C-alpha cells in the first residue's frame, strides 16, 4: 500500500526530482512547450487560427502573400486543421506528465521545428516565429536531456522485432541494395518531371492577346490571355475574363506549325491548325479556325513572369 502511494505521488508531483544538471531549466522548458502546444491546438479548434479574410479570398493566387497562402491551405480542410490541433494538444498533455514527457518531446520537437521553418519560409508574423522558435529550442533541450533513453531505444537496442539474420552476406550486397533504392525512385521522378510532365516548346509561357479573335465554344468571350503551360506537357489554357478553358496543343519548331485540340492529351476535336512566327516576345499565329472555317491572324505578346504576381 505504501509503495503504491509513493508511486502515485511520484506521478503527480513529478518535478520534485529533476534530471541531473537541469533542476530549473528542465521544468521551465517542459512547461513552456506544454503551454505553447496547448495554445496552438485550442486556437485551431476554436477558429483563432487558419481563418481567411474575404478580401484575401477575392485576390488572384499569384498576388496572395505567403502568410495568407499558408493560412488558406491549412484552413481549407477542417478535418486536416483539427487533426493538427489534436496532435498539438496530445503532445502538450503528454509533456504534462512525467512518464510521458519523452513521448511528448519526441513529437513536439519536429512539430515546432517544422512550424519555425514554415514561419521563416512563408513570412509569417515575427511574434509567431519567436514563439515557435522558443518552443522548438525548449523541446530540443528536453530531447538532449533524454539522449541516453533515445539512444537506448533507437540505437543501442537495434531492431529486436526483425533481428539480424544468422546468415552472413558480403557488406557490398546491402550497399548495392541501398544504392538501387536511391537510384530507382530518383530516376523515375526525374523522368516524370522532365520528360513526362514537360515537353518544352518555344511558346511556353504566358501571352496576352493584342490582336485577333479566337473563341472556342464554351468560352465566355474571345481569348484575352493564353497559357502554354511549361509544367504540363501540351496543355494550353485560354482565359476570357474569369472563364478558363483547357485544351491540347502541339508545335513543331522545325516547320513552325501549331495545332490546338479540344481535350488535353486525348485531343478530340481539332480547333485550330496553322503556322506561327516567333520574334523575341511577339508571337503571330496564322491559322484556320476549324470550328468556323475562317482564317485567323492571332497576335500575342509575352507576359514577363514577374508581372504575373501583380496582374489581377
Amino acid at each position: 500500500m505504501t509503495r503504491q502511494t509513493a508511486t502515485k505521488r511520484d506521478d503527480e508531483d513529478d518535478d520534485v526530482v529533476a534530471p541531473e544538471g537541469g533542476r530549473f531549466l528542465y521544468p521551465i522548458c517542459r512547461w513552456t512547450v506544454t503551454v505553447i502546444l496547448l495554445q496552438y491546438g485550442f486556437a485551431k479548434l476554436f477558429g483563432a487560427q487558419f481563418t481567411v479574410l474575404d478580401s484575401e479570398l477575392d485576390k488572384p493566387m499569384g498576388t496572395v502573400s505567403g502568410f495568407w497562402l499558408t493560412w488558406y491551405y491549412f484552413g481549407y480542410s477542417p478535418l486536416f486543421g483539427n487533426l493538427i490541433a489534436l496532435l498539438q494538444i496530445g503532445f502538450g498533455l503528454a509533456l504534462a506528465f512525467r512518464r510521458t514527457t519523452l513521448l511528448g518531446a519526441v513529437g513536439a520537437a519536429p512539430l515546432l521545428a517544422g512550424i519555425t521553418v514554415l514561419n521563416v519560409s512563408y513570412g509569417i508574423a515575427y511574434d509567431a516565429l519567436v514563439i515557435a522558435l522558443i518552443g522548438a529550442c525548449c523541446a530540443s533541450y528536453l530531447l538532449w536531456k533524454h539522449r541516453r533513453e533515445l539512444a537506448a531505444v533507437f540505437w543501442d537496442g537495434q531492431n529486436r522485432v526483425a533481428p539480424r539474420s544468422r546468415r552472413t552476406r558480403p557488406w557490398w550486397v546491402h550497399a548495392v541494395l541501398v544504392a538501387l533504392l536511391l537510384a530507382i525512385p530518383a530516376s523515375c521522378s526525374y523522368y516524370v518531371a522532365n520528360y513526362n510532365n514537360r515537353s518544352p516548346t518555344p511558346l511556353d509561357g504566358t501571352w496576352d492577346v493584342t490582336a485577333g479573335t479566337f473563341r472556342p465554344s464554351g468560352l465566355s468571350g474571345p481569348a484575352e490571355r493564353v497559357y502554354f503551360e511549361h509544367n504540363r506537357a501540351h496543355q494550353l489554357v485560354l482565359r476570357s475574363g474569369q472563364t478558363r478553358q483547357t485544351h491540347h496543343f502541339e508545335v513543331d519548331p522545325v516547320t513552325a506549325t501549331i495545332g490546338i485540340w479540344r481535350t488535353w492529351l486525348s485531343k478530340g476535336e481539332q480547333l485550330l491548325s496553322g503556322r506561327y512566327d516567333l520574334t523575341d516576345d511577339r508571337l503571330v499565329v496564322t491559322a484556320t479556325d476549324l470550328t468556323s472555317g475562317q482564317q485567323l491572324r492571332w497576335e500575342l505578346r509575352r507576359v514577363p513572369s514577374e508581372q504575373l504576381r501583380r496582374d489581377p
Side-chain angles (χ1 to χ4, degrees), residues 116-152:
T116 302
V117 173
L118 194 70
N119 289 345
V120 173
S121 303
Y122 290 87
I124 310 300
Y126 179 75
D127 54 348
L129 170 61
V130 171
I131 293 173
L133 186 59
I134 291 173
C137 291
C138 288
S140 299
Y141 174 78
L142 295 177
L143 291 182
W144 172 252
K145 297 302 293 184
H146 288 274
R147 60 189 181 278
R148 292 186 179 86
E149 295 166 81
L150 290 171

Side-chain angles (χ1 to χ4, degrees), residues 10-19 22 24-38 91-102 104-105 108 112 134-135 137-143 145-146:
D10 182 54
D11 285 336
E12 294 175 348
D13 192 12
D14 47 13
D15 284 334
V16 173
V17 180
F24 298 107
L25 186 57
Y26 182 89
I28 289 173
C29 288
R30 175 184 164 192
W31 292 110
T32 297
V33 179
T34 300
V35 171
I36 290 174
L37 287 178
L38 292 178
F91 289 140
L93 288 176
L95 285 163
F97 297 92
R98 182 186 61 82
R99 291 193 176 187
T100 54
T101 295
L102 179 55
L112 290 169
I134 291 173
C137 291
C138 288
S140 299
Y141 174 78
L142 295 177
L143 291 182
K145 297 302 293 184
H146 288 274

Side-chain angles (χ1 to χ4, degrees), residues 42-311:
F42 285 115
K44 293 173 180 63
L45 287 181
F46 297 137
Q49 287 185 347
F50 298 164
T51 53
V52 184
L53 304 178
D54 290 342
S55 57
E56 294 294 331
L57 288 174
D58 203 35
K59 290 182 178 179
M61 186 171 66
T63 64
V64 177
S65 68
F67 172 82
W68 287 111
L69 191 65
T70 306
W71 233 232
Y72 179 70
Y73 172 79
F74 283 105
Y76 182 83
S77 169
L79 175 62
F80 183 69
N82 288 333
L83 283 176
I84 294 177
L86 292 176
L87 272 177
Q88 292 173 336
I89 292 172
F91 289 140
L93 288 176
L95 285 163
F97 297 92
R98 182 186 61 82
R99 291 193 176 187
T100 54
T101 295
L102 179 55
L103 174 63
V106 167
L111 183 62
L112 290 169
I115 293 173
T116 302
V117 173
L118 194 70
N119 289 345
V120 173
S121 303
Y122 290 87
I124 310 300
Y126 179 75
D127 54 348
L129 170 61
V130 171
I131 293 173
L133 186 59
I134 291 173
C137 291
C138 288
S140 299
Y141 174 78
L142 295 177
L143 291 182
W144 172 252
K145 297 302 293 184
H146 288 274
R147 60 189 181 278
R148 292 186 179 86
E149 295 166 81
L150 290 171
V153 172
F154 295 108
W155 186 258
D156 297 340
Q158 297 296 317
N159 189 340
R160 298 183 185 278
V161 176
R164 182 189 297 272
S165 174
R166 293 183 179 180
R167 293 181 301 172
T168 59
R169 62 185 178 187
W171 64 268
W172 58 266
V173 173
H174 189 78
V176 169
L177 177 61
V178 173
L180 288 174
L181 289 174
L182 291 172
I184 293 174
S187 58
C188 288
S189 297
Y190 182 85
Y191 172 80
V192 169
N194 293 280
Y195 296 97
N196 183 69
N197 290 358
R198 296 175 186 155
S199 181
T201 76
L203 309 187
D204 289 357
T206 303
W207 303 80
D208 277 337
V209 177
T210 57
T213 299
F214 181 50
R215 182 184 180 182
S217 61
L219 197 62
S220 61
E224 301 168 351
R225 179 164 282 186
V226 181
Y227 307 86
F228 293 96
E229 298 290 1
H230 175 71
N231 292 313
R232 286 291 183 274
H234 307 297
Q235 185 176 101
L236 169 74
V237 178
L238 303 176
R239 193 190 85 182
S240 176
Q242 297 302 315
T243 304
R244 289 173 169 79
Q245 275 189 353
T246 300
H247 300 289
H248 182 92
F249 83 96
E250 292 182 5
V251 299
D252 185 345
V254 177
T255 60
T257 55
I258 181 172
I260 298 177
W261 288 262
R262 172 70 65 182
T263 308
W264 179 46
L265 297 182
S266 63
K267 294 187 175 181
E269 174 193 5
Q270 187 168 8
L271 305 176
L272 180 146
S273 177
R275 300 177 61 84
Y276 71 87
D277 178 41
L278 177 62
T279 306
D280 297 327
D281 291 336
R282 183 172 179 266
L283 173 65
V284 178
V285 177
T286 306
T288 302
D289 185 338
L290 297 175
T291 303
S292 63
Q294 297 180 350
Q295 292 299 306
L296 166 70
R297 180 180 170 84
W298 211 19
E299 298 183 14
L300 304 97
R301 176 179 56 82
R302 189 186 295 274
V303 180
S305 57
E306 60 271 14
Q307 184 179 333
L308 293 176
R309 291 188 173 275
R310 302 193 301 268
D311 283 359

